[in-house]
Amino acid sequence: MAVEAGRDIAPAKGKLGVMLVGLGAVSTTFIAGVENVRRGGGLPIGSLSQMGTIRLGKRTEKRSPKIKEFVPLADLKDLVFTAWDPIPDDAYTAAVKAGVLDRHEHLEPIKDFLQGIKPLPAAFDQYYVKRLQGTNVKRGKTKRELAEQLREDIRGFRKTAGVSRVVIVWCASTEVFITPGPVHQSLAAFEKAMEQNDPAIAPSMLYAYAALMENVPFANGAPNLTVDVPALQHLAEERKLPIGGKDFKTGQTMMKTVLAPAFKARMLGLAGWYSTNILGNRDGEVLDDPESFKTKEESKLGVLEYILQPDQYPELYGNVFHKVRINYYPPRGDNKEGWDNIDIFGWLGYPMQIKVDFLCRDSILAAPIVLDLALFFDLAQRARLSGIQEWLSFYFKSPQTAPGLYPEHDLFIQQTKLKNTLRWLMGEEQITHLGIEYYEKA
Ligand SMILES: NC(=O)c1ccc[n+]([C@@H]2O[C@H](COP(=O)([O-])OP(=O)(O)OC[C@H]3O[C@@H](n4cnc5c(N)ncnc54)[C@H](O)[C@@H]3O)[C@@H](O)[C@H]2O)c1
């Protein structure tokens, strides 16, 4: 196969500013994690960009460099952080409250560093996150004014932190469910709607708009609509900026996108999939509100439909009962428990059951995803990849795609897509797994 020339990628020179929307459990676990890794206090486990390797060429060539050595990613030592949050706690206080990392082992030793990260006032409106009250908020007559203030924050951060590039990752609470409407169709309509304080413009959209106007890539870790609207997609394409979302794929959905493709690969039928969760962090509290839960539910439910393709396999997947529940249960904090009861059927329709009980830690699974997204979105910008970054679907529960395409949810197809994109960027051969050349010698 002909080897492509690869893409011109600007070097990762200087510092990379990571601006996080939200300074809660996920953000603080990410920031504190990176700082611990930088000081030799732990390994970035769960991060493909840091721990993963990539096979190049034929299996006989035995070339498998680490991804971070293969593509020019920003080095962890060059990351600088800041965040916005309506709750004024600094990153140390927020991390202690989140209760994810061990205070003595992973927070006390970097206390000064974390205390230095104080949240910028947020563009926040309780209408979109009912269970939260915040005091550290921006004031402005219109949503447009708030967006302009966010743009100033980005410019200010560039200057004071001395960073040469910036990426923004939404790690803030899940907003209420919004469907795309007329104001999301064009930039002109979107800007007018900001001026008119239209309720269809959620705060997350203001951050996304501000990011794009300041030449900053934007990744959305929650299921909110945010950049999944034509107005912002066109803006990203026009300005040659990468965008993506939605919703970090961490615990239960990660398992679902591993198991469902296995059933389908073996042509086993599915009668029902009941998923329930207990979790007691602030995210759980926010999701206890039916309107925020609706946003999450949509994101979690789509997965099976796309993987199983009931239209093509009506006898196997034409009648699946799929239910997802999230129950706020404070005693567990961030240590979520997710149960899945899966009713499958095999040969001649005989039923079988699979039970999964995943005692996971939400933010421990999410932090490496934030890191990889920040690094890969920065890489994408330097490689002039613009618009939706479907090759990063690997990280999302509800991946954005170009109009008319259905999302790819199978974790291993997503992984192949990601790695093949990296090979393509670097001018290496695509790996097809055909392998006939090992058996049929010319
Ligand atoms: N942890 C996971 O496994 C996981 C997986 C997928 C998605 N997520 C999503 O990631 C997000 C963060 O999760 P978390 O556990 O850190 O939640 P969290 O509640 O601990 O933190 C969210 C923070 O966002 C802040 N916030 C809310 N609205 C804001 C706004 N408009 N601007 C700035 N800040 C705002 C809140 O004050 C809070 O501090 C949630 O939306 C969650 O659904 C998490």
Side-chain angles (χ1 to χ4, degrees), residues 228-242:
D228 198 4
V229 293
L232 296 177
Q233 282 162 19
H234 294 154
L235 184 62
E237 280 157 20
E238 243 172 65
R239 301 182 67 91
K240 300 265 171 293
L241 292 164

Side-chain angles (χ1 to χ4, degrees), residues 21-27 84-87 98 122-125 129 132 170-175 203-204 207 221-224 247-251 281-283 286-287 296 334 336 361-366 397:
V21 191
L23 189 58
V26 171
S27 294
W84 291 272
D85 204 294
I87 298 170
F124 176 75
D125 181 341
V129 186
L132 274 191
W170 175 275
C171 298
S173 313
T174 301
E175 296 174 326
S204 61
Y207 288 94
N224 329 307
D247 209 5
F248 303 131
K249 175 150 91 173
T250 48
N281 57 16
R282 195 189 290 145
D283 186 32
V286 166
L287 293 173
K296 196 63 146 187
D334 200 70
K336 181 162 86 179
R361 292 172 188 263
D362 248 13
S363 304
I364 292 294
L365 293 169
K397 270 199 213 36

